[in-house]
């Protein structure tokens, strides 16, 4: 099996914050891992980063629950980024 990873970058329309979401397919049964990180181009108060983290935690939780919610309000796919860019690495078990 190959490992399939998809990464998407989203930016806030209201604050200089962006989120990097990485989805990794773990096995042939469809189990996945999702990691996200909240980042900023400039120093921000912790409260601003925590607000963004709460929004995306809720969004990722909805996906884990089986829903496909729209993007959180005030967020968009970052310009110039490939939404769903795929990279494959060989499985070390073969």
């Amino acid at each position: 099996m190959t490992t399939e990873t998809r990464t998407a970058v989203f930016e806030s329309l209201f604050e200089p914050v962006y989120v990097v979401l990485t989805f990794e397919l773990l096995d042939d049964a469809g189990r996945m891992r999702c990691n996200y990180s909240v980042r900023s181009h400039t120093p921000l108060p912790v409260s601003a980063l925590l607000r963004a983290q709460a929004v995306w935690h809720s969004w990722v939780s909805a996906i884990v629950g089986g829903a496909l919610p729209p993007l959180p309000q005030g967020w968009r796919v970052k310009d110039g980024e490939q939404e769903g860019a795929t990279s494959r690495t060989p499985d070390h078990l073969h």
Side-chain angles (χ1 to χ4, degrees):
M1 180 181 154
T2 59
T3 301
E4 186 173 328
T5 302
R6 295 185 184 270
T7 301
V9 180
F10 302 91
E11 64 185 347
S12 171
L13 300 175
F14 306 114
E15 297 192 56
V17 174
Y18 64 101
V19 172
V20 178
L21 284 165
T22 304
F23 295 93
E24 181 179 0
L25 182 62
L26 298 177
D27 58 27
D28 291 331
R31 292 184 319 132
M32 296 186 77
R33 176 180 314 162
C34 176
N35 293 305
Y36 64 94
S37 60
V38 178
R39 303 175 186 183
S40 173
H41 295 292
T42 60
L44 289 175
V46 171
S47 59
L49 297 173
L50 290 175
R51 277 193 305 273
Q53 186 272 337
V55 166
W56 285 95
H57 179 79
S58 176
W59 190 84
V60 169
S61 294
I63 288 178
V64 169
L68 186 54
L71 286 180
Q73 186 175 6
W75 291 83
R76 68 177 180 187
V77 175
K78 187 173 179 182
D79 291 339
E81 297 292 332
Q82 293 180 349
E83 183 178 8
T86 302
S87 63
R88 290 193 170 106
T89 55
D91 183 88
H92 298 288
L93 300 176
H94 288 121

